[in-house]
Amino acid sequence: MPNSDHISKQFDAELEAIRANVLQMGGLVERQILSAIESLITGDVAMMNRVIDDDHRVNAMEVKIDEACSHVIARRQPTASDLRLVMTVVKTITDLERIGDEAQKIARMAKLLSQKHGLSMPRYHEIKRTSEIAVDMLHKVLDAFARLDVVMAAQVVRQDEQVDTEFQAIMRYLITFMMEDPRTISLSLEILFIAKAIERIGDHAQNIAEYVIYMVKGRDVRHITVEEIDQEIRQ
Amino acid sequence: MPNSDHISKQFDAELEAIRANVLQMGGLVERQILSAIESLITGDVAMMNRVIDDDHRVNAMEVKIDEACSHVIARRQPTASDLRLVMTVVKTITDLERIGDEAQKIARMAKLLSQKHGLSMPRYHEIKRTSEIAVDMLHKVLDAFARLDVVMAAQVVRQDEQVDTEFQAIMRYLITFMMEDPRTISLSLEILFIAKAIERIGDHAQNIAEYVIYMVKGRDVRHITVEEIDQEIRQ
């Protein structure tokens, strides 16, 4: 049946386009985080403004991919693994969009900090390192999504603990810093919220990792432990 | 055609069951927030433990509704407003589940606080009031979902600013409190994170409100202003 073959090829092409758009959106979001952190450290206000302004591009991609998913469901009636892909995409782009929001928040806070306090802030080194773990998680989870790689997705789930540990360390340091000089409290809280935004980026990457495992294995792993996930992917 | 009529009735019943489950999940999440805040204020550790333990019920409902949605899509091939309902549900339950996580976090922090500091904490009155606004938002948005009421959904979007304002006020107060007595810094940060959790509950309720408007109007309002939303729902 050449006709149904034709339809099936079109369908594949549509799914492929959706997948490519998700990776493109993920790449944009990754650059937004990197620029937000870089601008925080260098005090480059033009770069902060670019991050803030570019958030609408992330939002527009979410809306566009969402529409493409609805379109595919309505027109192609996907089932089984195709349907799981589409549902995974619908959820993934929500988390990507919220990572974009966190990057925008970091850029806004960087702007406030650059106006108020000059450029030498406590714990920027640790902030940078934590953001590198979060960006690595995002990068890996997008790879895992592209390659249907559950082992890599499970690594991302495990990596989230590192981000949480780093966040706790930053918080403990800032508490000491504030206690030694209470005049730094307001500044320290702003840095704490930046650290919190990075921690949340890690959480979102972890969410996406769990969707990827669901997509590939057809089994929902959102509410089980890391050990259970490891067992699951070995099956 | 009695046969297609029969299928259509079954389909309606399935959509109705999904809708009812979302409202039930929303009701459970609402009780989780109320109990978390009440236990924080009264220091009732048994209640804190119940909130922490009951989070798995919220998670289980998310997984169950998610499966029902995939099932309906695969079997019934919904289009137009039926498809929009299903997609709205898929997104809504993600936010409900994360509201549940925030309630659990509040209960955990309440437990830490009750162990460390006894029961009289600063700003509990304001914490309670802010949580009441957030719960009201959640309650309203579930009503709006049930009745397809876009006007009420738009109110919820607007209400989120109140929660943000209250959060800022709590933060400013806590900064003064910490500066006056740096020994309270650690305690104050815990209260700040509770306030932050409540602020996030407001954000999730706002997200759901935007999905409801999309479901009813067929127009995505996630990335436009409150004023534009008002214009949209008047059309």
Side-chain angles (χ1 to χ4, degrees):
Chain A
M1 282 200 298
N3 192 31
S4 98
D5 190 49
H6 175 70
I7 289 173
S8 143
K9 269 190 187 151
Q10 260 193 337
F11 179 27
D12 286 347
E14 283 175 19
L15 288 181
E16 202 35 65
I18 287 174
R19 211 193 307 254
N21 278 326
V22 171
L23 294 175
Q24 204 191 340
M25 183 179 175
L28 174 58
V29 165
E30 201 180 312
R31 286 194 300 282
Q32 288 282 88
I33 309 170
L34 289 170
S35 300
I37 298 293
E38 193 187 325
S39 71
L40 170 74
I41 289 164
T42 60
D44 181 340
V45 177
M47 190 182 270
M48 296 166 195
N49 285 331
R50 258 201 311 282
V51 172
I52 294 166
D53 293 344
D54 279 356
D55 189 50
H56 82 270
R57 290 178 54 204
V58 178
N59 297 343
M61 292 195 79
E62 185 198 13
V63 172
K64 178 182 149 193
I65 298 170
D66 232 349
E67 279 168 3
C69 288
S70 289
H71 185 85
V72 158
I73 292 174
R75 291 264 308 266
R76 307 292 180 194
Q77 290 133 18
T79 56
S81 69
D82 291 336
L83 179 55
R84 285 209 303 276
L85 168 64
V86 177
M87 299 313 268
T88 299
V89 168
V90 167
K91 287 176 186 286
T92 295
I93 57 175
T94 308
D95 281 281
L96 286 179
E97 190 270 331
R98 293 187 191 162
I99 294 177
D101 285 346
E102 299 296 336
Q104 193 192 36
K105 271 186 221 163
I106 293 171
R108 281 189 206 283
M109 288 188 278
K111 227 174 139 179
L112 274 177
L113 284 170
S114 76
Q115 285 157 5
K116 278 206 276 192
H117 311 279
L119 298 179
S120 96
M121 305 290 160
R123 295 300 102 167
Y124 271 18
H125 178 69
E126 285 78 358
I127 290 274
K128 189 166 193 307
R129 190 177 60 211
T130 313
S131 76
E132 281 162 1
I133 306 172
V135 167
D136 184 53
M137 287 173 72
L138 176 60
H139 196 88
K140 266 197 200 133
V141 85
L142 291 169
D143 269 2
F145 172 84
R147 302 184 206 159
L148 308 178
D149 185 338
V150 284
V151 174
M152 194 180 264
Q155 275 175 25
V156 172
V157 174
R158 221 171 295 108
Q159 242 179 323
D160 192 46
E161 282 171 30
Q162 276 180 50
V163 175
D164 293 346
T165 307
E166 293 281 341
F167 172 74
Q168 292 298 331
I170 292 172
M171 186 161 74
R172 274 195 306 276
Y173 172 84
L174 287 173
I175 290 173
T176 314
F177 191 76
M178 288 187 268
M179 288 179 89
E180 279 170 10
D181 183 358
R183 287 168 305 174
T184 66
I185 286 175
S186 186
L187 164 66
S188 297
L189 285 187
E190 278 154 22
I191 295 165
L192 186 61
F193 282 128
I194 291 173
K196 188 83 187 155
I198 296 168
E199 188 216 12
R200 296 202 58 80
I201 291 171
D203 289 343
H204 288 297
Q206 184 188 355
N207 292 337
I208 298 173
E210 288 167 353
Y211 307 146
V212 169
I213 297 172
Y214 164 73
M215 174 172 76
V216 178
K217 304 290 284 188
R219 164 111 164 71
D220 203 312
V221 296
R222 275 172 294 182
H223 306 301
I224 65 177
T225 64
V226 174
E227 290 70 28
E228 287 166 327
I229 290 175
D230 281 343
Q231 273 193 347
E232 189 63 36
I233 63 175
R234 273 197 296 272
Q235 274 163 22
Chain B
M1 281 201 302
N3 192 33
S4 97
D5 190 47
H6 176 69
I7 289 174
S8 143
K9 270 189 188 152
Q10 261 193 337
F11 179 27
D12 286 347
E14 283 175 20
L15 289 182
E16 201 36 64
I18 288 174
R19 212 193 306 254
N21 278 325
V22 171
L23 294 176
Q24 204 191 338
M25 182 179 176
L28 174 58
V29 165
E30 201 180 312
R31 286 194 300 282
Q32 288 283 89
I33 309 169
L34 289 170
S35 300
I37 298 292
E38 193 186 326
S39 71
L40 169 74
I41 289 164
T42 60
D44 181 341
V45 176
M47 190 183 268
M48 295 166 195
N49 285 331
R50 260 201 311 282
V51 172
I52 294 166
D53 293 344
D54 279 355
D55 189 50
H56 80 272
R57 290 178 54 205
V58 178
N59 297 343
M61 292 194 80
E62 185 197 11
V63 172
K64 180 183 147 193
I65 298 170
D66 232 348
E67 280 168 3
C69 287
S70 288
H71 186 85
V72 159
I73 292 174
R75 290 265 309 267
R76 307 292 181 194
Q77 289 133 19
T79 55
S81 68
D82 291 336
L83 179 56
R84 285 210 303 276
L85 168 65
V86 177
M87 299 313 270
T88 300
V89 168
V90 167
K91 287 176 185 286
T92 295
I93 57 176
T94 308
D95 281 281
L96 286 178
E97 190 271 330
R98 293 186 192 162
I99 295 177
D101 285 347
E102 299 296 335
Q104 194 192 35
K105 269 185 222 165
I106 293 170
R108 281 190 204 284
M109 288 188 279
K111 227 174 140 180
L112 274 178
L113 283 169
S114 75
Q115 285 157 4
K116 278 205 274 191
H117 311 279
L119 297 180
S120 94
M121 303 293 160
R123 297 298 101 167
Y124 271 17
H125 177 69
E126 285 79 359
I127 290 273
K128 189 166 194 304
R129 190 176 60 211
T130 313
S131 76
E132 281 162 0
I133 305 172
V135 167
D136 185 52
M137 286 173 72
L138 176 59
H139 197 88
K140 267 198 199 133
V141 85
L142 292 169
D143 270 3
F145 173 84
R147 303 183 205 159
L148 306 179
D149 185 339
V150 285
V151 175
M152 194 181 264
Q155 276 174 24
V156 172
V157 173
R158 222 171 294 110
Q159 243 179 322
D160 192 47
E161 281 171 29
Q162 278 180 48
V163 175
D164 293 346
T165 308
E166 294 281 341
F167 172 74
Q168 292 298 331
I170 292 172
M171 185 162 78
R172 273 195 307 275
Y173 172 85
L174 288 172
I175 289 173
T176 315
F177 191 76
M178 289 187 268
M179 287 180 89
E180 279 169 9
D181 183 358
R183 287 168 305 174
T184 66
I185 286 175
S186 187
L187 163 65
S188 297
L189 285 187
E190 278 156 22
I191 295 164
L192 187 61
F193 282 128
I194 291 173
K196 188 82 187 155
I198 297 169
E199 188 217 11
R200 296 202 57 79
I201 292 172
D203 288 344
H204 287 297
Q206 183 188 355
N207 292 337
I208 298 174
E210 288 167 352
Y211 307 147
V212 169
I213 297 172
Y214 162 73
M215 174 172 74
V216 179
K217 304 290 286 187
R219 164 111 164 74
D220 204 312
V221 296
R222 275 173 294 183
H223 307 301
I224 64 177
T225 64
V226 174
E227 289 71 29
E228 287 166 327
I229 291 175
D230 281 343
Q231 272 193 346
E232 189 63 37
I233 63 175
R234 273 198 296 272
Q235 274 162 22

